[in-house]
Amino acid sequence: MDKEMNLKIKQKFVKDYKNGYPLISKESIVNSKDFSNEGTMIKLVDERNGFIGKGYYGKQNKGLGWILSLKEHEKIGPKFFEDKIKQAIEDRQHFYNSSDTTAFRVFNGEGDGIGGLTIDFFDGFYLISWYSEGIYQFKDWVIQAIKNIVEFKGIYQKKRFDTKGQYIEEDDFVMGERGQFPIIVKENGVNFAIYLNDGAMVGVFLDQREVRKLIRDKYAYDKTVLNTFSYTGAFSVFAAVGGASKTTSVDLANRSLDKTKEQFKINGIDPATQSIVVEDVFHYFKYAVKKNLSFDMVILDPPSFARSKKHTFSAEKDYKNLLKEAITITENDGVIVASTNCSTFGMNKFKGFIDTAFKELGGQYKLMEEFSLPNDFKTTKQFKEGNYLKVVFIRKIK
């Protein structure tokens, strides 16, 4: 590790950092030109050189690194990392004890005290995601911590940052035994096929676990369900297991077809009894209107930002219009599950989009349930952006 460097913080940001805001932002720094290598330890000081906190330099999305400690004499070393990871694992002990759910998040970045790092558990396999070259410099400490704390079948990793065109080992294997993919994991008794060796995505987004369960247990029975931006069809599978009369999954990616079929098959559902459509969701809405199709339930979980040949979608700008398309093809008394993982706005603004969409169509609605991140995705109240997930169940009245 490089030696520690001092970083001078502008006065108006000092209080936030002292109160626990963990992301080191570019605009808060007086001397940002002084940065050297990612992974460098940083000491944050105010303009009079008074101690604020310490962390590391690692460029990620909107920040230049993360504060790890507000204690001036705390040593950031292997033991610091091991203690944080050990605490996180203890906090999730009830997940380890469940035979019904064998995939969950073990370590959630700044929520567990180390920004830029997540660790997920898939039935004995651990998947580490590194979100900057800076945090990746601590790789040995993190892997050693996992080895010291838990028994595992194998460890995989995802480098979620650009490594200047260097070759990244394509199967992402780190140590232990290599998985026989797909690994079949359980979520609330439903099976998922997981691939830890196949690109950035593994086959399921674990943060939607409670939403999928509610769809299965309360909303799906005997209903027609449209799942848009369906990825590998996880919502559709839960709806089908919950007794939906028919599910339709729509996603632009060609691979979504085989991946969705696979998820149905491993749950004993014949994919031929369901509809899986590879198409731009925006086209599909127009097709549905033209063909007079409507659904009892429409699930909207778009990426925060997406680009297809004809459309650019940004959640902040375009979610309201997407909702209007969904409302139009939802039956009266039907339900829309509106979801976004966009961190640039909060739940109130999201509900504002819902309200405006219905008003512009002259419709009425009732908000049913709402969700943010489940408790294995630990967040800190000082960093609201970290609690990015917003899901609302909306009943369309007319």
Side-chain angles (χ1 to χ4, degrees):
M1 303 289 154
D2 287 5
K3 67 177 186 358
E4 191 174 81
M5 66 174 282
N6 275 12
L7 210 54
K8 203 157 269 194
I9 298 298
K10 294 172 186 166
Q11 194 53 42
K12 68 173 184 178
F13 294 94
V14 169
K15 191 172 163 210
D16 282 346
Y17 287 138
K18 282 189 165 173
N19 286 339
Y21 186 80
L23 184 65
I24 303 168
S25 64
K26 197 172 182 178
E27 60 270 23
S28 70
I29 298 163
V30 176
N31 55 332
S32 62
K33 294 186 290 296
D34 299 349
F35 272 132
S36 52
N37 299 329
E38 288 209 42
T40 302
M41 287 294 186
I42 295 168
K43 185 161 113 183
L44 281 75
V45 295
D46 60 26
E47 291 181 9
R48 296 192 193 130
N49 286 322
F51 175 81
I52 299 169
K54 53 170 73 175
Y56 73 90
Y57 169 43
K59 282 193 285 195
Q60 183 187 333
N61 289 13
K62 302 171 184 67
L64 293 177
W66 294 91
I67 295 176
L68 299 177
S69 176
L70 297 175
K71 298 175 189 158
E72 189 162 5
H73 301 294
E74 183 160 26
K75 188 168 166 21
I76 309 291
K79 185 177 184 312
F80 176 88
F81 276 72
E82 185 169 328
D83 288 348
K84 293 285 186 202
I85 292 169
K86 192 173 185 179
Q87 183 62 57
I89 285 171
E90 282 172 13
D91 289 348
R92 291 157 176 85
Q93 212 47 56
H94 61 293
F95 284 103
Y96 282 96
N97 298 334
S98 164
S99 55
D100 224 21
T101 294
T102 58
F104 50 89
R105 179 145 294 181
V106 166
F107 194 95
N108 195 42
E110 69 287 342
D112 283 297
I114 303 173
L117 167 74
T118 63
I119 307 171
D120 293 315
F121 177 85
F122 296 98
D123 195 23
F125 288 87
Y126 285 83
L127 175 68
I128 307 167
S129 294
W130 314 97
Y131 284 87
S132 71
E133 218 167 315
I135 190 65
Y136 189 64
Q137 306 308 309
F138 304 102
K139 174 185 179 197
D140 294 346
W141 295 355
V142 171
I143 290 167
Q144 190 59 50
I146 295 172
K147 279 170 71 175
N148 292 351
I149 300 163
V150 288
E151 289 180 15
F152 55 82
K153 293 175 187 169
I155 298 177
Y156 279 75
Q157 67 180 6
K158 302 287 177 198
K159 296 179 188 169
R160 309 294 293 260
F161 57 89
D162 206 1
T163 53
K164 306 184 189 72
Q166 289 167 328
Y167 177 71
I168 298 172
E169 190 185 343
E170 61 185 2
D171 72 355
D172 294 333
F173 176 72
V174 179
M175 63 169 26
E177 65 180 64
R178 286 175 188 267
Q180 299 295 309
F181 297 111
I183 301 168
I184 307 297
V185 301
K186 280 195 179 333
E187 180 186 284
N188 291 312
V190 174
N191 294 329
F192 281 133
I194 299 294
Y195 295 82
L196 303 181
N197 61 342
D198 185 19
M201 308 298 205
V202 301
V204 67
F205 294 112
L206 297 175
D207 55 3
Q208 295 276 14
R209 180 175 53 248
E210 291 172 359
V211 180
R212 286 189 281 264
K213 183 176 188 296
L214 188 70
I215 287 171
R216 178 192 68 187
D217 295 351
K218 184 175 173 184
Y219 284 99
Y221 185 74
D222 210 21
K223 299 289 193 283
T224 54
V225 178
L226 172 64
N227 178 14
T228 62
F229 308 96
S230 58
Y231 181 39
T232 64
F235 285 121
S236 308
V237 171
F238 265 79
V241 171
S245 57
K246 173 89 180 277
T247 70
T248 302
S249 308
V250 183
D251 197 289
L252 182 59
N254 282 319
R255 61 191 300 194
S256 66
L257 179 63
D258 288 336
K259 294 280 189 191
T260 303
K261 281 181 178 173
E262 178 180 49
Q263 304 290 26
F264 278 122
K265 279 180 191 157
I266 61 170
N267 285 288
I269 297 163
D270 180 356
T273 62
Q274 312 297 317
S275 178
I276 306 167
V277 182
V278 177
E279 193 181 350
D280 185 325
V281 169
F282 301 96
H283 287 175
Y284 185 83
F285 278 132
K286 289 181 176 46
Y287 163 82
V289 168
K290 206 161 76 187
K291 295 283 184 193
N292 261 339
L293 298 179
S294 60
F295 299 86
D296 300 316
M297 174 179 255
V298 177
I299 299 165
L300 281 184
D301 186 24
S304 294
F305 186 82
R307 183 176 275 130
S308 66
K309 285 194 181 94
K310 294 196 173 159
H311 285 101
T312 299
F313 174 84
S314 145
E316 185 138 25
K317 291 207 295 289
D318 304 317
Y319 205 103
K320 180 203 75 174
N321 290 334
L322 182 67
L323 266 166
K324 286 167 77 172
E325 305 252 25
I327 293 164
T328 306
I329 60 168
T330 302
E331 291 277 5
N332 283 344
D333 208 35
V335 170
I336 297 165
V337 181
S339 172
T340 180
N341 60 1
C342 184
S343 60
T344 57
F345 55 86
M347 185 62 100
N348 285 346
K349 188 165 180 182
F350 190 46
K351 287 179 178 171
F353 296 159
I354 295 167
D355 193 58
T356 309
F358 273 93
K359 279 202 173 105
E360 288 181 4
L361 289 173
Q364 289 179 350
Y365 67 96
K366 184 178 174 204
L367 298 180
M368 308 297 284
E369 285 94 354
E370 61 183 73
F371 292 86
S372 55
L373 287 172
N375 60 10
D376 52 327
F377 282 70
K378 195 172 173 188
T379 56
T380 163
K381 61 180 186 301
Q382 287 84 0
F383 188 64
K384 291 192 169 47
E385 308 95 299
N387 196 356
Y388 55 83
L389 184 68
K390 293 163 282 292
V391 184
V392 183
F393 283 65
I394 310 155
R395 170 103 40 212
K396 175 181 170 180
I397 294 172
K398 63 169 189 171

